[in-house]
mmCIF file with all atom_site columns, all heavy atoms in Angstrom:
data_model
loop_
_atom_site.group_PDB
_atom_site.id
_atom_site.type_symbol
_atom_site.label_atom_id
_atom_site.label_alt_id
_atom_site.label_comp_id
_atom_site.label_asym_id
_atom_site.label_entity_id
_atom_site.label_seq_id
_atom_site.pdbx_PDB_ins_code
_atom_site.Cartn_x
_atom_site.Cartn_y
_atom_site.Cartn_z
_atom_site.occupancy
_atom_site.B_iso_or_equiv
_atom_site.pdbx_formal_charge
_atom_site.auth_seq_id
_atom_site.auth_comp_id
_atom_site.auth_asym_id
_atom_site.auth_atom_id
_atom_site.pdbx_PDB_model_num
ATOM 1   N N   . GLU A 1 130 ? 9.715  -6.432  12.347 1.00 0.00 ? 134 GLU A N   1
ATOM 2   C CA  . GLU A 1 130 ? 9.564  -5.159  13.166 1.00 0.00 ? 134 GLU A CA  1
ATOM 3   C C   . GLU A 1 130 ? 9.628  -3.954  12.181 1.00 0.00 ? 134 GLU A C   1
ATOM 4   O O   . GLU A 1 130 ? 8.850  -3.008  12.338 1.00 0.00 ? 134 GLU A O   1
ATOM 5   C CB  . GLU A 1 130 ? 10.755 -5.023  14.220 1.00 0.00 ? 134 GLU A CB  1
ATOM 6   C CG  . GLU A 1 130 ? 10.504 -6.021  15.337 1.00 0.00 ? 134 GLU A CG  1
ATOM 7   C CD  . GLU A 1 130 ? 9.374  -5.750  16.109 1.00 0.00 ? 134 GLU A CD  1
ATOM 8   O OE1 . GLU A 1 130 ? 8.793  -4.640  16.295 1.00 0.00 ? 134 GLU A OE1 1
ATOM 9   O OE2 . GLU A 1 130 ? 8.763  -6.758  16.622 1.00 0.00 ? 134 GLU A OE2 1
ATOM 10  N N   . LEU A 1 131 ? 10.470 -4.116  11.130 1.00 0.00 ? 135 LEU A N   1
ATOM 11  C CA  . LEU A 1 131 ? 10.386 -2.944  10.122 1.00 0.00 ? 135 LEU A CA  1
ATOM 12  C C   . LEU A 1 131 ? 9.072  -2.911  9.466  1.00 0.00 ? 135 LEU A C   1
ATOM 13  O O   . LEU A 1 131 ? 8.520  -1.939  9.167  1.00 0.00 ? 135 LEU A O   1
ATOM 14  C CB  . LEU A 1 131 ? 11.625 -3.246  9.195  1.00 0.00 ? 135 LEU A CB  1
ATOM 15  C CG  . LEU A 1 131 ? 12.924 -3.100  9.681  1.00 0.00 ? 135 LEU A CG  1
ATOM 16  C CD1 . LEU A 1 131 ? 13.940 -3.502  8.633  1.00 0.00 ? 135 LEU A CD1 1
ATOM 17  C CD2 . LEU A 1 131 ? 13.180 -1.605  10.229 1.00 0.00 ? 135 LEU A CD2 1
ATOM 18  N N   . THR A 1 132 ? 8.528  -4.071  9.183  1.00 0.00 ? 136 THR A N   1
ATOM 19  C CA  . THR A 1 132 ? 7.185  -4.159  8.518  1.00 0.00 ? 136 THR A CA  1
ATOM 20  C C   . THR A 1 132 ? 6.119  -3.488  9.470  1.00 0.00 ? 136 THR A C   1
ATOM 21  O O   . THR A 1 132 ? 5.243  -2.643  8.978  1.00 0.00 ? 136 THR A O   1
ATOM 22  C CB  . THR A 1 132 ? 6.723  -5.564  8.191  1.00 0.00 ? 136 THR A CB  1
ATOM 23  O OG1 . THR A 1 132 ? 7.706  -6.104  7.309  1.00 0.00 ? 136 THR A OG1 1
ATOM 24  C CG2 . THR A 1 132 ? 5.415  -5.632  7.661  1.00 0.00 ? 136 THR A CG2 1
ATOM 25  N N   . ARG A 1 133 ? 6.223  -3.713  10.752 1.00 0.00 ? 137 ARG A N   1
ATOM 26  C CA  . ARG A 1 133 ? 5.321  -3.034  11.669 1.00 0.00 ? 137 ARG A CA  1
ATOM 27  C C   . ARG A 1 133 ? 5.494  -1.522  11.690 1.00 0.00 ? 137 ARG A C   1
ATOM 28  O O   . ARG A 1 133 ? 4.534  -0.842  11.636 1.00 0.00 ? 137 ARG A O   1
ATOM 29  C CB  . ARG A 1 133 ? 5.562  -3.683  13.079 1.00 0.00 ? 137 ARG A CB  1
ATOM 30  C CG  . ARG A 1 133 ? 4.720  -2.972  14.248 1.00 0.00 ? 137 ARG A CG  1
ATOM 31  C CD  . ARG A 1 133 ? 5.035  -3.551  15.603 1.00 0.00 ? 137 ARG A CD  1
ATOM 32  N NE  . ARG A 1 133 ? 6.441  -3.227  15.977 1.00 0.00 ? 137 ARG A NE  1
ATOM 33  C CZ  . ARG A 1 133 ? 6.876  -2.060  16.389 1.00 0.00 ? 137 ARG A CZ  1
ATOM 34  N NH1 . ARG A 1 133 ? 6.098  -1.062  16.382 1.00 0.00 ? 137 ARG A NH1 1
ATOM 35  N NH2 . ARG A 1 133 ? 8.149  -1.893  16.714 1.00 0.00 ? 137 ARG A NH2 1
ATOM 36  N N   . LEU A 1 134 ? 6.765  -1.133  11.696 1.00 0.00 ? 138 LEU A N   1
ATOM 37  C CA  . LEU A 1 134 ? 6.951  0.310   11.698 1.00 0.00 ? 138 LEU A CA  1
ATOM 38  C C   . LEU A 1 134 ? 6.496  1.019   10.287 1.00 0.00 ? 138 LEU A C   1
ATOM 39  O O   . LEU A 1 134 ? 6.006  2.043   10.440 1.00 0.00 ? 138 LEU A O   1
ATOM 40  C CB  . LEU A 1 134 ? 8.490  0.543   11.809 1.00 0.00 ? 138 LEU A CB  1
ATOM 41  C CG  . LEU A 1 134 ? 9.099  0.320   13.238 1.00 0.00 ? 138 LEU A CG  1
ATOM 42  C CD1 . LEU A 1 134 ? 10.602 0.228   13.203 1.00 0.00 ? 138 LEU A CD1 1
ATOM 43  C CD2 . LEU A 1 134 ? 8.549  1.282   14.201 1.00 0.00 ? 138 LEU A CD2 1
ATOM 44  N N   . LYS A 1 135 ? 6.599  0.314   9.292  1.00 0.00 ? 139 LYS A N   1
ATOM 45  C CA  . LYS A 1 135 ? 6.050  0.778   8.044  1.00 0.00 ? 139 LYS A CA  1
ATOM 46  C C   . LYS A 1 135 ? 4.480  0.873   8.218  1.00 0.00 ? 139 LYS A C   1
ATOM 47  O O   . LYS A 1 135 ? 3.913  1.887   7.784  1.00 0.00 ? 139 LYS A O   1
ATOM 48  C CB  . LYS A 1 135 ? 6.342  -0.173  6.729  1.00 0.00 ? 139 LYS A CB  1
ATOM 49  C CG  . LYS A 1 135 ? 5.771  0.362   5.507  1.00 0.00 ? 139 LYS A CG  1
ATOM 50  C CD  . LYS A 1 135 ? 6.089  -0.537  4.405  1.00 0.00 ? 139 LYS A CD  1
ATOM 51  C CE  . LYS A 1 135 ? 5.449  -0.030  3.123  1.00 0.00 ? 139 LYS A CE  1
ATOM 52  N NZ  . LYS A 1 135 ? 5.490  -0.871  2.019  1.00 0.00 ? 139 LYS A NZ  1
ATOM 53  N N   . GLY A 1 136 ? 3.858  -0.058  8.858  1.00 0.00 ? 140 GLY A N   1
ATOM 54  C CA  . GLY A 1 136 ? 2.471  -0.118  8.987  1.00 0.00 ? 140 GLY A CA  1
ATOM 55  C C   . GLY A 1 136 ? 1.966  1.044   9.877  1.00 0.00 ? 140 GLY A C   1
ATOM 56  O O   . GLY A 1 136 ? 0.886  1.556   9.807  1.00 0.00 ? 140 GLY A O   1
ATOM 57  N N   . GLU A 1 137 ? 2.866  1.451   10.833 1.00 0.00 ? 141 GLU A N   1
ATOM 58  C CA  . GLU A 1 137 ? 2.632  2.558   11.743 1.00 0.00 ? 141 GLU A CA  1
ATOM 59  C C   . GLU A 1 137 ? 2.879  3.958   11.135 1.00 0.00 ? 141 GLU A C   1
ATOM 60  O O   . GLU A 1 137 ? 2.690  5.040   11.649 1.00 0.00 ? 141 GLU A O   1
ATOM 61  C CB  . GLU A 1 137 ? 3.399  2.399   12.984 1.00 0.00 ? 141 GLU A CB  1
ATOM 62  C CG  . GLU A 1 137 ? 2.993  1.328   13.835 1.00 0.00 ? 141 GLU A CG  1
ATOM 63  C CD  . GLU A 1 137 ? 3.839  1.104   15.083 1.00 0.00 ? 141 GLU A CD  1
ATOM 64  O OE1 . GLU A 1 137 ? 4.778  1.893   15.194 1.00 0.00 ? 141 GLU A OE1 1
ATOM 65  O OE2 . GLU A 1 137 ? 3.610  0.186   15.755 1.00 0.00 ? 141 GLU A OE2 1
ATOM 66  N N   . GLY A 1 138 ? 3.376  3.968   9.786  1.00 0.00 ? 142 GLY A N   1
ATOM 67  C CA  . GLY A 1 138 ? 3.690  5.098   9.058  1.00 0.00 ? 142 GLY A CA  1
ATOM 68  C C   . GLY A 1 138 ? 5.041  5.759   9.454  1.00 0.00 ? 142 GLY A C   1
ATOM 69  O O   . GLY A 1 138 ? 5.315  6.801   9.069  1.00 0.00 ? 142 GLY A O   1
ATOM 70  N N   . LYS A 1 139 ? 5.974  5.070   10.055 1.00 0.00 ? 143 LYS A N   1
ATOM 71  C CA  . LYS A 1 139 ? 7.245  5.659   10.382 1.00 0.00 ? 143 LYS A CA  1
ATOM 72  C C   . LYS A 1 139 ? 8.295  5.212   9.247  1.00 0.00 ? 143 LYS A C   1
ATOM 73  O O   . LYS A 1 139 ? 9.363  5.782   9.424  1.00 0.00 ? 143 LYS A O   1
ATOM 74  C CB  . LYS A 1 139 ? 7.722  5.031   11.764 1.00 0.00 ? 143 LYS A CB  1
ATOM 75  C CG  . LYS A 1 139 ? 6.851  5.431   12.874 1.00 0.00 ? 143 LYS A CG  1
ATOM 76  C CD  . LYS A 1 139 ? 7.250  4.784   14.159 1.00 0.00 ? 143 LYS A CD  1
ATOM 77  C CE  . LYS A 1 139 ? 6.320  5.221   15.340 1.00 0.00 ? 143 LYS A CE  1
ATOM 78  N NZ  . LYS A 1 139 ? 6.735  4.634   16.621 1.00 0.00 ? 143 LYS A NZ  1
ATOM 79  N N   . ILE A 1 140 ? 7.961  4.423   8.398  1.00 0.00 ? 144 ILE A N   1
ATOM 80  C CA  . ILE A 1 140 ? 8.776  4.062   7.224  1.00 0.00 ? 144 ILE A CA  1
ATOM 81  C C   . ILE A 1 140 ? 7.873  4.055   5.978  1.00 0.00 ? 144 ILE A C   1
ATOM 82  O O   . ILE A 1 140 ? 6.763  3.510   6.045  1.00 0.00 ? 144 ILE A O   1
ATOM 83  C CB  . ILE A 1 140 ? 9.417  2.649   7.240  1.00 0.00 ? 144 ILE A CB  1
ATOM 84  C CG1 . ILE A 1 140 ? 10.329 2.704   8.585  1.00 0.00 ? 144 ILE A CG1 1
ATOM 85  C CG2 . ILE A 1 140 ? 10.172 2.300   6.043  1.00 0.00 ? 144 ILE A CG2 1
ATOM 86  C CD1 . ILE A 1 140 ? 10.875 1.318   8.937  1.00 0.00 ? 144 ILE A CD1 1
ATOM 87  N N   . ARG A 1 141 ? 8.263  4.680   4.917  1.00 0.00 ? 145 ARG A N   1
ATOM 88  C CA  . ARG A 1 141 ? 7.433  4.684   3.631  1.00 0.00 ? 145 ARG A CA  1
ATOM 89  C C   . ARG A 1 141 ? 7.668  3.371   2.850  1.00 0.00 ? 145 ARG A C   1
ATOM 90  O O   . ARG A 1 141 ? 6.809  2.898   2.233  1.00 0.00 ? 145 ARG A O   1
ATOM 91  C CB  . ARG A 1 141 ? 7.697  6.052   2.835  1.00 0.00 ? 145 ARG A CB  1
ATOM 92  C CG  . ARG A 1 141 ? 7.046  7.130   3.523  1.00 0.00 ? 145 ARG A CG  1
ATOM 93  C CD  . ARG A 1 141 ? 7.078  8.395   2.674  1.00 0.00 ? 145 ARG A CD  1
ATOM 94  N NE  . ARG A 1 141 ? 6.659  9.475   3.395  1.00 0.00 ? 145 ARG A NE  1
ATOM 95  C CZ  . ARG A 1 141 ? 7.421  10.457  4.041  1.00 0.00 ? 145 ARG A CZ  1
ATOM 96  N NH1 . ARG A 1 141 ? 8.700  10.305  4.086  1.00 0.00 ? 145 ARG A NH1 1
ATOM 97  N NH2 . ARG A 1 141 ? 6.741  11.391  4.788  1.00 0.00 ? 145 ARG A NH2 1
ATOM 98  N N   . HIS A 1 142 ? 9.017  3.068   2.601  1.00 0.00 ? 146 HIS A N   1
ATOM 99  C CA  . HIS A 1 142 ? 9.364  2.057   1.751  1.00 0.00 ? 146 HIS A CA  1
ATOM 100 C C   . HIS A 1 142 ? 10.447 1.199   2.405  1.00 0.00 ? 146 HIS A C   1
ATOM 101 O O   . HIS A 1 142 ? 11.292 1.636   3.193  1.00 0.00 ? 146 HIS A O   1
ATOM 102 C CB  . HIS A 1 142 ? 9.891  2.556   0.465  1.00 0.00 ? 146 HIS A CB  1
ATOM 103 C CG  . HIS A 1 142 ? 8.817  3.349   -0.272 1.00 0.00 ? 146 HIS A CG  1
ATOM 104 N ND1 . HIS A 1 142 ? 7.969  2.917   -0.974 1.00 0.00 ? 146 HIS A ND1 1
ATOM 105 C CD2 . HIS A 1 142 ? 8.911  4.756   -0.288 1.00 0.00 ? 146 HIS A CD2 1
ATOM 106 C CE1 . HIS A 1 142 ? 7.156  3.907   -1.441 1.00 0.00 ? 146 HIS A CE1 1
ATOM 107 N NE2 . HIS A 1 142 ? 7.742  5.032   -1.094 1.00 0.00 ? 146 HIS A NE2 1
ATOM 108 N N   . LEU A 1 143 ? 10.412 -0.216  2.101  1.00 0.00 ? 147 LEU A N   1
ATOM 109 C CA  . LEU A 1 143 ? 11.485 -1.065  2.626  1.00 0.00 ? 147 LEU A CA  1
ATOM 110 C C   . LEU A 1 143 ? 12.251 -1.646  1.634  1.00 0.00 ? 147 LEU A C   1
ATOM 111 O O   . LEU A 1 143 ? 11.791 -1.984  0.469  1.00 0.00 ? 147 LEU A O   1
ATOM 112 C CB  . LEU A 1 143 ? 10.780 -2.260  3.415  1.00 0.00 ? 147 LEU A CB  1
ATOM 113 C CG  . LEU A 1 143 ? 10.030 -1.769  4.769  1.00 0.00 ? 147 LEU A CG  1
ATOM 114 C CD1 . LEU A 1 143 ? 9.112  -2.892  5.233  1.00 0.00 ? 147 LEU A CD1 1
ATOM 115 C CD2 . LEU A 1 143 ? 11.112 -1.338  5.741  1.00 0.00 ? 147 LEU A CD2 1
ATOM 116 N N   . ALA A 1 144 ? 13.476 -1.984  1.933  1.00 0.00 ? 148 ALA A N   1
ATOM 117 C CA  . ALA A 1 144 ? 14.465 -2.519  0.913  1.00 0.00 ? 148 ALA A CA  1
ATOM 118 C C   . ALA A 1 144 ? 15.316 -3.611  1.659  1.00 0.00 ? 148 ALA A C   1
ATOM 119 O O   . ALA A 1 144 ? 15.520 -3.429  2.874  1.00 0.00 ? 148 ALA A O   1
ATOM 120 C CB  . ALA A 1 144 ? 15.331 -1.461  0.271  1.00 0.00 ? 148 ALA A CB  1
ATOM 121 N N   . GLY A 1 145 ? 15.944 -4.364  0.883  1.00 0.00 ? 149 GLY A N   1
ATOM 122 C CA  . GLY A 1 145 ? 16.869 -5.347  1.457  1.00 0.00 ? 149 GLY A CA  1
ATOM 123 C C   . GLY A 1 145 ? 18.352 -4.718  0.978  1.00 0.00 ? 149 GLY A C   1
ATOM 124 O O   . GLY A 1 145 ? 18.567 -4.113  0.006  1.00 0.00 ? 149 GLY A O   1
ATOM 125 N N   . CYS A 1 146 ? 19.294 -5.040  1.799  1.00 0.00 ? 150 CYS A N   1
ATOM 126 C CA  . CYS A 1 146 ? 20.670 -4.475  1.621  1.00 0.00 ? 150 CYS A CA  1
ATOM 127 C C   . CYS A 1 146 ? 21.657 -5.599  2.035  1.00 0.00 ? 150 CYS A C   1
ATOM 128 O O   . CYS A 1 146 ? 21.692 -6.137  3.018  1.00 0.00 ? 150 CYS A O   1
ATOM 129 C CB  . CYS A 1 146 ? 20.860 -3.246  2.591  1.00 0.00 ? 150 CYS A CB  1
ATOM 130 S SG  . CYS A 1 146 ? 22.458 -2.471  2.373  1.00 0.00 ? 150 CYS A SG  1
ATOM 131 N N   . ASN A 1 147 ? 22.554 -5.804  0.957  1.00 0.00 ? 151 ASN A N   1
ATOM 132 C CA  . ASN A 1 147 ? 23.582 -6.962  1.124  1.00 0.00 ? 151 ASN A CA  1
ATOM 133 C C   . ASN A 1 147 ? 22.878 -8.263  1.486  1.00 0.00 ? 151 ASN A C   1
ATOM 134 O O   . ASN A 1 147 ? 23.373 -9.030  2.216  1.00 0.00 ? 151 ASN A O   1
ATOM 135 C CB  . ASN A 1 147 ? 24.609 -6.506  2.212  1.00 0.00 ? 151 ASN A CB  1
ATOM 136 C CG  . ASN A 1 147 ? 25.375 -5.314  1.727  1.00 0.00 ? 151 ASN A CG  1
ATOM 137 O OD1 . ASN A 1 147 ? 25.418 -4.927  0.553  1.00 0.00 ? 151 ASN A OD1 1
ATOM 138 N ND2 . ASN A 1 147 ? 25.934 -4.627  2.735  1.00 0.00 ? 151 ASN A ND2 1
ATOM 139 N N   . MET A 1 148 ? 21.761 -8.647  0.846  1.00 0.00 ? 152 MET A N   1
ATOM 140 C CA  . MET A 1 148 ? 21.210 -9.924  1.025  1.00 0.00 ? 152 MET A CA  1
ATOM 141 C C   . MET A 1 148 ? 21.445 -10.889 -0.153 1.00 0.00 ? 152 MET A C   1
ATOM 142 O O   . MET A 1 148 ? 21.509 -10.492 -1.289 1.00 0.00 ? 152 MET A O   1
ATOM 143 C CB  . MET A 1 148 ? 19.725 -9.666  1.009  1.00 0.00 ? 152 MET A CB  1
ATOM 144 C CG  . MET A 1 148 ? 19.122 -8.770  2.184  1.00 0.00 ? 152 MET A CG  1
ATOM 145 S SD  . MET A 1 148 ? 18.776 -9.879  3.569  1.00 0.00 ? 152 MET A SD  1
ATOM 146 C CE  . MET A 1 148 ? 18.318 -8.575  4.817  1.00 0.00 ? 152 MET A CE  1
ATOM 147 N N   . ASP A 1 149 ? 21.644 -12.136 0.231  1.00 0.00 ? 153 ASP A N   1
ATOM 148 C CA  . ASP A 1 149 ? 21.743 -13.154 -0.824 1.00 0.00 ? 153 ASP A CA  1
ATOM 149 C C   . ASP A 1 149 ? 20.359 -13.534 -1.164 1.00 0.00 ? 153 ASP A C   1
ATOM 150 O O   . ASP A 1 149 ? 19.263 -13.302 -0.513 1.00 0.00 ? 153 ASP A O   1
ATOM 151 C CB  . ASP A 1 149 ? 22.680 -14.258 -0.413 1.00 0.00 ? 153 ASP A CB  1
ATOM 152 C CG  . ASP A 1 149 ? 22.167 -15.017 0.749  1.00 0.00 ? 153 ASP A CG  1
ATOM 153 O OD1 . ASP A 1 149 ? 21.022 -14.882 1.076  1.00 0.00 ? 153 ASP A OD1 1
ATOM 154 O OD2 . ASP A 1 149 ? 23.095 -15.685 1.411  1.00 0.00 ? 153 ASP A OD2 1
#
Side-chain angles (χ1 to χ4, degrees):
E134 291 302 325
L135 292 175
T136 299
R137 179 184 59 77
L138 290 168
K139 181 181 178 191
E141 292 176 2
K143 295 177 182 175
I144 298 171
R145 289 190 183 93
H146 303 283
L147 293 170
C150 181
N151 297 343
M152 297 269 174
D153 61 18

